[in-house]
Amino acid sequence: LILGGCTDKSPSDTGELFNFGDTTISRLLRHQYDATPPIDPTNAFADNDDAAKLGQYLFYDTRLSEDGAQSCATCHRPDHGFADDTTVSTAIGTTTRHTPTIVNSAYNRWFFWDGRCDTLWCQAAAPLEAPAEHGSSRLEVLHLVFGDDALHAAYTQLFGSLPDLGESDRFPASGRPVPDDTSDPDHIAWTGMSESDQEEVNRAFINIVKSIAAFERKLVQPAAPFDRMLDALESGDASGGKALSLSAKRGAELFVGDGVCWPCHTGPTFSNKEFHNVALPASSEIDNESEGRFTGIDMLLSNPFNGQGVYSDDTTDAEIKLGYLIQSPEQIGTFKTPGLRNLLDTPPYMHGGHFDTLTEVVEHYNQMDDPPLSGHREELLLPLLWTEQQVSDVVAFLESLQGDPIDDALKVQPVSPL
């Protein structure tokens, strides 16, 4: 293989003389792309187009925020791969971690960097009530939907009647549980409600965020040059065809070979969907000693909106997933493995926005000279000591994972939620 690569005198061409070995081809084919995300049994409206239309309208609606200026798109920017271009995001306040992309999030097993949600709709609910993000409450969200004719009609068309929010003595203008601060006015308003009214509000609120999740499931990035190379490999062309440069092909070989990148970055989105400690350097705007997944498990299991709770439409899979979940000290300082598709859209990288360029990311794994700031480093990770050319080749490979642009129609608020 090495000699075959050296005989090619034109590193900038498509590398027809380059042939992958059988083991490399087998590993690369594990990343074959499936444009249909896995089903979400916990959300009966996950693939309902009308729900997605309502969800898209709400995704871009700034009225869901306390100051009327923030929407989901404030941090998940459509012009930046539905991520943010800053280390941490600024909405009502300042977030504590980098905002990841929600493109291809329908493929995820866990949500948030620490996995504190296990469904896309659980994730969609949290920012609405987060003081640093939307800063709103579930009652404020419902009052908006109840009082807006188009939103009200769209909701009832999908989910049936809303609670009678016109009864202000039963349904305050604002309210949510704030167990960490029982003196919070929202918490006082919430605990002043009857349990049956709280239940009505929760179910309606979850219907709303399930529609947002239905929209987010449509944010699937089309196939990339890498996928065209896989088509060639599957057809029996060991060179991988002409979709990738020779440099990118060498990078692909390193990725599934000496780099040992593929055990964590595997599957259609290049993520094993689990959590690892990669010993990142300090980032100035996050808690560098966060316990990550270790704490995230506590938050997940105590969340009434998790997939095995009463608001899930089918708990079967979630009960298995959460039932086998084990919390151990090995998870301290671990964070979710991000997917690697469409990276050109979403710098900076990592949960603290640690790196501005893909070259910096690859160099981190190449040198591995930062001690872990919490927990201990993933044992698979050892310094690679690649040459400058090898680093460049792996970056070229990562760039080949860039898909065609998302449909522009998904990047704006529809005229109507109906």
Side-chain angles (χ1 to χ4, degrees):
L1 282 173
I2 293 171
L3 292 174
C6 292
T7 61
D8 196 317
K9 303 299 184 182
S10 304
S12 62
D13 70 12
T14 53
E16 292 89 340
L17 301 181
F18 185 97
N19 285 328
F20 292 104
D22 290 344
T23 298
T24 298
I25 291 172
S26 175
R27 290 176 179 174
L28 288 171
L29 288 174
R30 297 185 185 202
H31 302 88
Q32 283 181 302
Y33 187 68
D34 182 353
T36 304
I39 63 169
D40 179 6
T42 69
N43 181 359
F45 296 88
D47 298 307
N48 181 301
D49 288 338
D50 291 334
K53 183 71 175 295
L54 171 59
Q56 181 176 352
Y57 191 92
L58 292 169
F59 184 90
Y60 294 102
D61 198 331
T62 59
R63 294 176 298 169
L64 291 177
S65 64
E66 182 67 26
D67 65 356
Q70 320 300 325
S71 72
C72 302
T74 299
C75 300
H76 295 288
R77 292 176 43 185
D79 63 345
H80 197 73
F82 288 88
D84 205 348
D85 64 350
T86 57
T87 301
V88 294
S89 298
T90 300
I92 292 285
T94 302
T95 62
T96 57
R97 289 180 186 143
H98 177 61
T99 300
T101 180
I102 52 172
V103 173
N104 291 335
S105 59
Y107 295 86
N108 290 352
R109 179 184 295 132
W110 313 107
F111 299 83
F112 293 107
W113 285 106
D114 55 12
R116 63 184 183 272
C117 274
D118 64 333
T119 68
L120 192 51
W121 52 270
C122 170
Q123 183 280 322
L128 296 176
E129 296 189 315
E133 298 180 58
H134 286 70
S136 188
S137 71
R138 60 196 67 180
L139 271 163
E140 288 176 280
V141 170
L142 290 196
H143 278 291
L144 168 65
V145 174
F146 184 82
D148 182 283
D149 289 345
L151 287 174
H152 196 143
Y155 180 95
T156 55
Q157 175 181 297
L158 282 162
F159 305 112
S161 61
L162 279 158
D164 188 359
L165 292 154
E167 297 186 28
S168 57
D169 57 328
R170 292 175 57 198
F171 300 104
S174 179
R176 64 187 177 96
V178 191
D180 294 336
D181 183 5
T182 56
S183 65
D184 188 293
D186 274 347
H187 186 80
I188 293 171
W190 178 256
T191 54
M193 296 170 59
S194 70
E195 288 188 8
S196 60
D197 285 347
Q198 289 176 354
E199 174 69 9
E200 279 196 70
V201 168
N202 282 343
R203 288 203 175 274
F205 178 64
I206 289 304
N207 285 339
I208 288 168
V209 297
K210 283 180 177 177
S211 73
I212 295 175
F215 163 64
E216 292 178 339
R217 282 177 61 84
K218 289 185 174 291
L219 300 176
V220 174
Q221 195 97 348
F226 170 77
D227 301 292
R228 294 192 285 276
M229 183 185 78
L230 293 191
D231 290 342
L233 292 176
E234 194 170 38
S235 71
D237 180 356
S239 76
K242 299 182 179 182
L244 265 62
S245 69
L246 179 58
S247 175
K249 290 180 178 180
R250 290 195 302 257
E253 190 169 53
L254 286 168
F255 187 90
V256 298
D258 290 347
V260 198
C261 310
W262 66 279
C264 297
H265 291 287
T266 192
T269 62
F270 285 79
S271 172
N272 65 356
K273 306 179 182 181
E274 291 301 332
F275 302 80
H276 301 277
N277 186 332
V278 298
L280 291 168
S283 176
S284 61
E285 297 182 73
I286 67 167
D287 176 9
N288 292 289
E289 297 183 2
S290 168
E291 293 184 333
R293 178 57 164 165
F294 185 81
T295 304
I297 289 177
D298 287 330
M299 299 171 71
L300 169 61
L301 295 178
S302 65
N303 191 334
F305 298 153
N306 68 36
Q308 66 177 353
V310 296
Y311 304 103
S312 173
D313 293 315
D314 185 338
T315 64
T316 307
D317 291 346
E319 287 171 355
I320 296 171
K321 185 165 69 171
L322 299 187
Y324 281 95
L325 194 57
I326 297 174
Q327 186 184 49
S328 78
E330 295 296 310
Q331 295 156 326
I332 293 175
T334 64
F335 290 89
K336 189 173 67 174
T337 304
L340 299 182
R341 288 184 177 271
N342 314 305
L343 291 172
L344 296 181
D345 288 338
T346 60
Y349 306 106
M350 307 302 193
H351 71 272
H354 294 74
F355 305 121
D356 291 325
T357 69
L358 291 176
T359 298
E360 290 177 292
V361 174
V362 177
E363 279 291 3
H364 168 73
Y365 291 103
N366 191 33
Q367 302 297 329
M368 290 307 302
D369 51 6
D370 292 296
L373 301 175
S374 178
H376 70 84
R377 189 174 77 193
E378 170 63 56
E379 293 178 359
L380 278 176
L381 294 176
L382 297 172
L384 297 168
L385 305 180
W386 281 335
T387 65
E388 184 176 332
Q389 181 62 60
Q390 288 173 310
V391 170
S392 178
D393 290 343
V394 173
V395 170
F397 161 66
L398 295 175
E399 291 173 345
S400 79
L401 303 180
Q402 184 70 24
D404 296 331
I406 292 280
D407 185 348
D408 285 342
L410 298 174
K411 295 181 178 180
V412 295
Q413 187 181 48
V415 174
S416 168
L418 289 162

